[in-house]
Amino acid sequence: KNQVEQSPQSLIILEGKNCTLQCNYTVSPFSNLRWYKQDTGRGPVSLTIMTFSENTKSNGRYTATLDADTKQSSLHITASQLSDSASYICVVSVDNAGNMLTFGGGTRLMVKP
Amino acid sequence: KAGVTQTPRYLIKTRGQQVTLSCSPISGHRSVSWYQQTPGQGLQFLFEYFSETQRNKGNFPGRFSGRQFSNSRSEMNVSTLELGDSALYLCASSPRTGNSGANVLTFGAGSRLTVL
């Protein structure tokens, strides 16, 4: 069964600190892995997309890594800001062109002043 | 550039009724996919439409259906509503270019359905 597991489920950090969110997947076949940020009451917004051959990708203060051998990914947030408070969802796609996605349960991040 | 527009944003129905949700994709995007988000199950893929044809389908009962029009706008319908259908229904559009990793999904804000 295709699964995407994220940890921790929730996390509280102080503004300015760094944090790392984890994602393990058992999805097969694997096409690409995506990280999304979802603010409360809004739709998810794409942060990064990585294919099998990519092992790191950055988007501003967000850096995602991918180890396709161990089927693990991480999202590192540098110098956190209050606006980073959101749910971060790891998503794995099984097909190249379509949008059949398997979603992780998300990590709820709260950044406190 | 307008984003993905979903209507209505909020609605309340009772068990046994049916509901239709609408999604207008970003101009030029031909793929529209639908997702259900609940606190217990998280986000789950419902189905994807491209060029008015359903291309992929998730593991949901036949009460959940959809369609896509020639202008790429899409609707999803849920018949015989159950309490467990209460959820945020998200629609996303993409160009669907066929290149791996190139299909960035742009999500709408969702339609929050409450079934009483």
Side-chain angles (χ1 to χ4, degrees):
Chain A
K1 180 182 177 183
N2 288 337
Q3 283 189 311
V4 178
E5 304 279 350
Q6 290 187 244
S7 62
Q9 281 190 325
S10 61
L11 182 63
I12 301 174
I13 61 173
L14 292 176
E15 186 179 13
K17 298 295 186 182
N18 304 334
C19 67
T20 299
L21 314 181
Q22 301 291 342
C23 173
N24 297 334
Y25 62 94
T26 59
V27 178
S28 180
F30 172 87
S31 174
N32 56 72
L33 185 145
R34 316 170 185 213
W35 284 93
Y36 282 88
K37 176 187 178 187
Q38 185 175 23
D39 293 309
T40 301
R42 309 286 293 271
V45 174
S46 178
L47 295 175
T48 63
I49 299 178
M50 289 181 292
T51 60
F52 185 90
S53 60
E54 298 175 295
N55 55 25
T56 187
K57 183 163 282 189
S58 291
N59 177 1
R61 295 180 296 103
Y62 301 100
T63 299
T65 65
L66 173 64
D67 185 334
D69 291 331
T70 62
K71 298 187 177 182
Q72 295 180 325
S73 176
S74 66
L75 180 70
H76 186 75
I77 304 175
T78 304
S80 61
Q81 300 176 359
L82 298 180
S83 59
D84 292 331
S85 295
S87 288
Y88 292 84
I89 305 171
C90 174
V91 188
V92 179
S93 176
V94 301
D95 64 328
N96 288 340
N99 298 307
M100 288 188 66
L101 307 177
T102 301
F103 295 84
T107 293
R108 179 72 195 170
L109 174 66
M110 182 177 296
V111 180
K112 290 192 169 183
Chain B
K1 187 176 183 182
V4 177
T5 304
Q6 292 189 243
T7 57
R9 288 293 314 277
Y10 304 91
L11 66 166
I12 299 174
K13 293 285 187 178
T14 57
R15 280 180 296 175
Q17 287 187 310
Q18 67 95 28
V19 65
T20 299
L21 309 177
S22 178
C23 174
S24 294
I26 289 175
S27 178
H29 284 192
R30 298 171 62 191
S31 169
V32 174
S33 47
W34 289 89
Y35 306 87
Q36 182 195 66
Q37 186 173 32
T38 61
Q41 298 295 321
L43 269 159
Q44 297 182 88
F45 170 76
L46 279 159
F47 30 65
E48 181 207 358
Y49 286 87
F50 178 77
S51 293
E52 302 177 63
T53 301
Q54 187 180 93
R55 296 304 176 106
N56 293 299
K57 189 177 190 305
N59 188 27
F60 277 82
R63 298 186 298 107
F64 293 81
S65 63
R67 59 177 175 168
Q68 186 179 35
F69 302 95
S70 58
N71 62 358
S72 294
R73 190 177 70 86
S74 176
E75 289 181 347
M76 69 162 281
N77 184 76
V78 187
S79 62
T80 318
L81 284 166
E82 302 176 358
L83 296 178
D85 297 332
S86 294
L88 179 68
Y89 290 88
L90 290 161
C91 151
S93 75
S94 76
R96 208 180 198 265
T97 62
N99 295 322
S100 176
N103 288 302
V104 177
L105 294 181
T106 302
F107 283 85
S111 293
R112 183 164 294 282
L113 170 66
T114 300
V115 182
L116 302 177

